[in-house]
């Protein structure tokens, strides 16, 4: 079973297209975790980040198909943070979740291969494809976000590893930030830069389609640009879309449903802050607050699932 | 003293513009290191990578201004590799070298800030600027390579941290790989994508110039495109250029000297394989071989210094 088949099956099984973004931030951790810190060392914070993310995983594991740990916040703690990232990925994979590591990595040729080898392929995904789970990547996730600035020959090494380890990548096509258009919207002859990247993604998927017509090369398309989301869903019919920008960044449920195919699959919609820091949101803080932050996470996840099902 | 001043002073002090790329790869480590592995675990390899890189640092620290650890090869070993990366950066900084972490990181807004906070600012650099060395970043390097695909508002958070910690970034403008032109060379109206990025770099430096006219926002321009190197030196007069692709990738000394300013500063030329695996090069393997690999590293570094001085 390929990555695309596996994520679509997980969507069908859970009845959810919600991807929970694991973006731990010191200032916003629930009070019980901040209060239990042994000291202010990176090691202590890394342990708090790991506990925070692992508890979120425990709370959402039966109601969402996947989680997306954001590498930057773990890297911000130095090496100790990266050890915590490894623990979080392992915990999510053991819970049966698909893990998309958000690292926006890339480099030239053989260095891109090193990143692919590092992050692509979980034991569960490889086993589901009939391979040897012992060949899983050292980080053990299923997919990685990848930047396209270095061109086609920087994406191909990732595709090779996807083929070998039943893994996936999500290429940045149209990002959710206000200034994303600076390069992405430049019009070069017939089409924009983001359309050029979308065409590359579609061409790389072409010979790798599963029974539902999906391939291993997904794409990141922000919820904050609804018109382009419709356009890019059509331009990349073989890609699982990873849609950030829902909730806290302003993307609405009506807009992001355009990312899904007719059977309600083919995309996952990410929310980070809106779910993981739900204890601080007006609608949940009264009922749950910091003390019951895990219940707030569950409630916010169920709320998002319901919004996207309407 | 800002990052740009500091790197230009290091160039003047060492009489070298060579940047030694620390790209450890299992298959090419010298035999003594491979033979001394306790086992094949990531921990054992990580220890070998750290020893390899730290010995290289010891060998070159008085004859080059900077080193560039490539994060991908450390990440390839999983969390243990990242612990080794931290050790290598610390060892290089303690040896008085400027450290450029090659991670090609980026993300939107506050996530970009997390990457900047993670990697930008060494104790030595901050102290040289009159700041508190205790505010150094957790990884402790001086500069980071950064991808521009997410646009201007994804670069600005890095610039903010550069200002606060006397650090630098190197924005990918024109990369050294054969397929780099796929996006970078697209012509959008009056100019190409890479020229648009170059203009952004120049505009961000504008209000941050040191006494020699250099700012904290450097640029990556590959040695493998000599004509563009001349063009981009002129288009980014305030940027320290980081020039990969010399040696093993095909860039020649006559070509890369175009990256330097009239006083022979303003750029560093990176060589990775040609220096760190010099023991396996035809011209050094007879004399040094695996047993004296450190001497081969020294000889190859001196050879490169001499080639670039001609």
């Amino acid at each position: 079973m390929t990555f695309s088949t596996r994520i679509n099956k997980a969507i069908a099984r859970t009845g959810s297209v919600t991807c929970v973004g694991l973006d731990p931030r010191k200032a916003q951790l629930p009070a019980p975790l901040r209060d239990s810190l042994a000291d202010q060392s990176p090691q202590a914070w890394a342990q708090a980040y790991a506990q925070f993310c692992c508890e979120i995983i425990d709370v959402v594991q039966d109601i969402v198909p996947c989680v997306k740990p954001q590498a930057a916040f773990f890297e911000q703690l130095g090496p100790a943070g990266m050890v915590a990232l490894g623990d979080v990925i392992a915990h999510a994979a053991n819970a049966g979740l698909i893990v998309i590591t958000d690292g926006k990595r890339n480099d030239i040729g053989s260095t891109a291969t090193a990143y692919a080898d590092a992050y692509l392929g979980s034991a569960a995904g490889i086993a589901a494809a009939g391979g040897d789970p012992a060949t899983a990547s050292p980080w053990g996730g299923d997919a990685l976000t990848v930047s396209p600035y270095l061109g086609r020959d920087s994406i191909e090494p990732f595709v090779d590893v996807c083929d070998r380890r039943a893994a996936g990548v999500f290429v940045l096509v149209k990002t959710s930030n206000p200034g994303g258009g600076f390069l992405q919207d430049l019009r070069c002859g017939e089409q924009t830069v983001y359309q050029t990247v979308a065409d590359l993604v579609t061409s790389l998927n072409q010979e790798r389609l599963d029974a539902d017509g999906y391939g291993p090369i997904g794409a990141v398309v922000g919820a904050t640009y609804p018109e382009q989301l419709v356009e890019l869903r059509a331009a990349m019919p073989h890609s699982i879309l990873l849609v950030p920008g829902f909730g806290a960044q302003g993307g609405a449920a009506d807009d992001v449903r355009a990312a899904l195919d007719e059977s309600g699959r083919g995309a996952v919609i990410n929310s980070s802050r809106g779910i993981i820091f739900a204890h601080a949101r007006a609608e949940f803080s009264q009922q749950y607050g910091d003390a019951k932050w895990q219940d707030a996470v569950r409630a916010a996840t169920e709320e998002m699932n319901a919004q996207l099902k309407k």
Side-chain angles (χ1 to χ4, degrees), chain A residues 25 56 63 190:
Chain A
R25 296 166 193 248
I56 292 167
I63 52 171
E190 294 290 296

Side-chain angles (χ1 to χ4, degrees), chain A residues 110-161:
Chain A
S110 61
T111 311
T113 298
Y115 278 128
D117 188 41
Y119 290 105
L120 296 182
S122 68
I126 293 168
D132 177 1
T135 60
S137 67
W139 293 91
D142 297 287
L144 178 69
T145 56
V146 168
S147 172
Y149 190 73
L150 290 105
R152 183 184 181 110
D153 63 351
S154 74
I155 305 288
E156 286 168 338
F158 289 94
V159 178
D160 290 343
V161 177

Side-chain angles (χ1 to χ4, degrees), chain A residues 182-306:
Chain A
F182 177 82
L183 286 189
Q184 296 160 28
D185 292 355
L186 286 178
R187 176 162 293 279
C188 310
E190 294 290 296
Q191 56 182 11
T192 61
V193 167
Y194 75 75
Q195 288 166 337
T196 303
V197 179
D199 286 352
L200 168 63
V201 164
T202 295
S203 94
L204 288 169
N205 269 329
Q206 214 63 256
E207 294 178 4
R208 298 179 162 81
L209 303 183
D210 66 14
D212 296 316
Y214 285 100
I217 302 106
V220 174
V221 183
T224 46
Y225 298 99
E227 285 177 32
Q228 280 80 10
L229 184 53
V230 172
E231 173 199 341
L232 288 166
R233 173 69 289 172
M236 296 181 286
H238 310 306
S239 288
I240 306 290
L241 301 186
L242 169 60
V243 183
F246 180 79
Q249 284 184 57
D254 284 341
D255 294 331
V256 300
R257 272 194 295 270
L260 307 176
D261 64 20
E262 289 168 2
S263 61
R265 301 182 295 174
V268 288
I269 316 299
N270 185 77
S271 175
S272 302
R273 283 168 278 178
I275 288 178
I276 68 173
F277 303 128
H279 66 278
R281 285 170 58 188
E283 56 267 60
F284 298 114
S285 62
Q286 280 286 83
Q287 192 178 352
Y288 304 111
D290 285 60
K292 296 185 177 174
W293 67 269
Q294 299 93 334
D295 295 335
V297 166
R298 177 90 183 185
T301 307
E302 285 175 338
E303 179 196 65
M304 181 165 160
N305 280 345

